[in-house]
Amino acid sequence: MSNSSRVNSPTEETSLTPDQSPGPDAPQDEYTRLGEKTGTTFIQTLIHLLKGNIGTGLLGLPLAVKNAGLVLGPISLFLMGGIAVHCMDILVKCSHYLSDRMRKPFLDYGNCMQYGLEVGPAPWLQRHAIWGRRVVNAFLMVTQLGFCCVYFVFLSDNIKQVIESANGTTTDCHLNQTVIMTSTFDSRLYMLCFLPFIILLVFIRNLKYLAPFSMLANLAMIISLGMIFNYIVWNIPFPVALPYLGELKNYPLFFGTAIFSFEGIGVVLPLENQMKTPRSFHKVLYLGMAIVTCLYISLGTLGYLCFGDSIGASITLNLPNCWLYQAVKILYCFGIFITYALQFYVPAEILIPRVVARLEERWAWAVDLAVRAALVTLTCVIAILVPELDLVISLVGSVSSSALALIFPPILEILTFHSEGLPWWVICKNFLISVIGLVGFVAGTYVSIEQIVLRNSARDALNGTLSGVH
């Protein structure tokens, strides 16, 4: 997910202001922009929204569909996409109302939650409203750093496979032969190899210097996805004999991966704020998320149909061992490598200014770089401790993405518009969405951690057996 849209901080010249006080059902065309008519166009905003929702989670969806089943998986993805876009719409609506009521030019996600608590019905929540912003910012940091952990695992798994199969890589992508892998070293050592390069990457504090590389990364990922679709569409085996329903115990893993993939709620407010015509944002939102949902369902379903039960944690790991598709893996890895810096920007901007503000100015630059290096090292250490791509994705999705995308927005709407007289069915609907998010949070986190422990135990047992043989 790219967060380049967050680089420019909102100002009064790029803020939204309502012509009249907006209620819970106020249409978006009542909003106009102060100052000059500058900002992103409809197409530019749509592209940013698509970039914000397409990342490594997309490549893990075929395995997610396997966990849910060939029929239940696509249906669940469709329903989850609908709920996710509805919650994004709720967040934008609450931002409009609260920014007008609080006379603020722009509110981010954390500030929306804080002011929502301040206008809420409970005096205790009003007194502790600051914790709303702190909790949301904490989940945003966990989410973004979680993405960075996933990137370490993704890079190591794919580059390790490319290197180990290099001797058997051919120019014929239609050969279906067993490739003898040349054992190199553990994937966790590959992560350590990437660590210094990623630290140097995040030392680039101004993202405008990364803009050309970001464009190349996006192009590389688009080409890679096109090649992946081309392969799986033409290589689906018939007849198909895959289960329509997966095992119930695996459904929480599906939930975590799926909600991880719908990762764009954090960029919704910045994108809407930077639009030249913000009244058109709801069209961008629904069109963009419709495209994203269709892409998710198609890749998840077709990928599972193509590779069946042998599907890997990332579909790239199942591609043929020919140079064309090895190049696809390398291209996507390049895109993910550059995207790391964009994802890292969010937690860095939340944490580093607070640390630097406590120190003398002469130490600011050195401490800034030290904190960046420490945060990158932290994500690498977590990835080394849990080098399982599918489980890391599911865990991050269950813990933080479910809270930001499903649990918080419905609660925020109830708090924000309680004095406006919300219909009973809206309250019930919001309560149901938050409960679904909470159940997914608990079940997905539990199952992901359980599977991580089981796999680590199995790996340790295997290593012990091999050591005994030697």
Side-chain angles (χ1 to χ4, degrees):
M1 173 182 93
S2 173
N3 289 298
S4 56
S5 58
R6 299 181 187 214
V7 176
N8 298 321
S9 59
T11 63
E12 286 192 322
E13 286 70 33
T14 59
S15 64
L16 302 176
T17 181
D19 293 332
Q20 55 182 312
S21 181
D25 301 316
Q28 287 201 8
D29 57 8
E30 294 179 1
Y31 291 83
T32 58
R33 185 176 299 281
L34 289 173
E36 298 179 1
K37 296 292 182 179
T38 58
T40 55
T41 64
F42 183 98
I43 297 298
Q44 289 172 331
T45 307
L46 178 62
I47 291 172
H48 285 310
L49 182 65
L50 293 176
K51 287 165 58 181
N53 281 276
I54 297 175
T56 52
L58 171 65
L59 302 180
L61 286 176
L63 180 59
V65 171
K66 173 189 173 183
N67 288 328
L70 187 58
V71 173
L72 182 59
I75 293 175
S76 298
L77 280 174
F78 176 78
L79 294 176
M80 194 169 292
I83 295 174
V85 71
H86 177 65
C87 289
M88 292 177 184
D89 195 37
I90 288 176
L91 184 59
V92 172
K93 182 170 61 176
C94 292
S95 173
H96 287 167
Y97 179 88
L98 292 169
S99 62
D100 174 63
R101 182 164 176 173
M102 298 296 171
R103 301 302 177 190
K104 300 289 184 180
F106 172 77
L107 297 179
D108 59 20
Y109 198 163
N111 287 330
C112 276
M113 184 58 71
Q114 176 182 344
Y115 292 129
L117 290 172
E118 285 186 5
V119 302
W124 187 86
L125 292 177
Q126 294 172 3
R127 292 194 301 270
H128 298 84
I130 186 66
W131 282 98
R133 176 166 60 84
R134 292 172 179 172
V135 169
V136 168
N137 285 343
F139 274 102
L140 283 171
M141 286 189 60
V142 170
T143 299
Q144 301 303 126
L145 292 177
F147 293 158
C148 293
C149 295
V150 169
Y151 293 166
F152 264 110
V153 182
F154 179 88
L155 289 170
S156 66
D157 284 355
N158 282 270
I159 296 301
K160 174 181 168 69
Q161 189 184 71
V162 170
I163 293 175
E164 291 188 347
S165 60
N167 290 337
T169 302
T170 68
T171 57
D172 189 349
C173 296
H174 299 288
L175 287 177
N176 186 20
Q177 60 185 16
T178 301
V179 177
I180 299 176
M181 307 290 282
T182 303
S183 180
T184 54
F185 42 81
D186 192 280
S187 63
R188 289 169 285 194
L189 294 178
Y190 281 90
M191 298 180 198
L192 290 177
C193 292
F194 279 113
L195 178 59
F197 297 102
I198 293 180
I199 289 177
L200 291 176
L201 180 68
V202 302
F203 280 174
I204 303 175
R205 293 181 289 176
N206 193 331
L207 291 187
K208 73 178 182 180
Y209 297 121
L210 282 176
F213 298 101
S214 180
M215 291 179 62
L216 290 175
N218 292 331
L219 181 61
M221 293 169 75
I222 291 172
I223 293 173
S224 299
L225 284 176
M227 295 300 298
I228 292 171
F229 266 106
N230 178 72
Y231 180 82
I232 61 178
V233 166
W234 293 105
N235 288 276
I236 296 176
F238 293 98
V240 175
L242 298 172
Y244 292 164
L245 300 177
E247 295 184 36
L248 181 60
K249 66 179 182 179
N250 292 329
Y251 193 83
L253 296 176
F254 163 84
F255 175 88
T257 304
I259 199 61
F260 176 95
S261 302
F262 289 103
E263 57 195 39
I265 194 165
V267 303
V268 167
L269 292 183
L271 287 180
E272 192 259 0
N273 181 65
Q274 292 179 9
M275 272 198 79
K276 183 183 298 184
T277 54
R279 64 178 63 88
S280 302
F281 183 74
H282 69 286
K283 298 177 183 177
V284 174
L285 180 62
Y286 282 96
L287 175 60
M289 293 308 297
I291 294 173
V292 167
T293 303
C294 290
L295 179 64
Y296 287 180
I297 293 174
S298 58
L299 184 65
T301 306
L302 294 174
Y304 181 42
L305 284 172
C306 179
F307 297 112
D309 290 334
S310 63
I311 186 68
S314 168
I315 194 172
T316 55
L317 300 175
N318 290 93
L319 294 176
N321 191 48
C322 65
W323 286 115
L324 176 63
Y325 289 103
Q326 298 293 58
V328 167
K329 298 174 189 176
I330 294 173
L331 281 175
Y332 214 97
C333 284
F334 170 74
I336 291 299
F337 177 78
I338 299 299
T339 304
Y340 186 106
L342 303 176
Q343 297 284 17
F344 184 84
Y345 181 82
V346 177
E349 286 302 298
I350 292 175
L351 183 62
I352 292 176
R354 299 182 181 183
V355 175
V356 171
R358 300 173 181 270
L359 303 170
E360 297 180 15
E361 187 175 351
R362 59 178 178 151
W363 297 106
W365 184 75
V367 171
D368 183 304
L369 297 183
V371 173
R372 290 173 184 271
L375 287 176
V376 174
T377 303
L378 175 63
T379 61
C380 182
V381 169
I382 294 174
I384 289 173
L385 293 175
V386 191
E388 305 289 347
L389 182 60
D390 56 326
L391 297 182
V392 175
I393 289 176
S394 181
L395 181 60
V396 173
S398 299
V399 170
S400 53
S401 298
S402 60
L404 293 172
L406 299 181
I407 298 175
F408 293 159
I411 295 174
L412 178 61
E413 184 179 32
I414 293 175
L415 293 171
T416 301
F417 296 111
H418 80 95
S419 61
E420 303 285 338
L422 282 175
W424 66 267
W425 61 268
V426 172
I427 297 175
C428 292
K429 176 262 299 179
N430 287 0
F431 179 76
L432 178 61
I433 293 175
S434 292
V435 168
I436 291 173
L438 183 61
V439 171
F441 173 95
V442 174
T445 302
Y446 174 81
V447 174
S448 297
I449 293 176
E450 180 186 47
Q451 290 299 311
I452 288 171
V453 172
L454 290 175
R455 289 195 194 178
N456 284 339
S457 299
R459 186 187 303 108
D460 292 341
L462 178 62
N463 292 337
T465 301
L466 293 177
S467 299
V469 171
H470 294 295

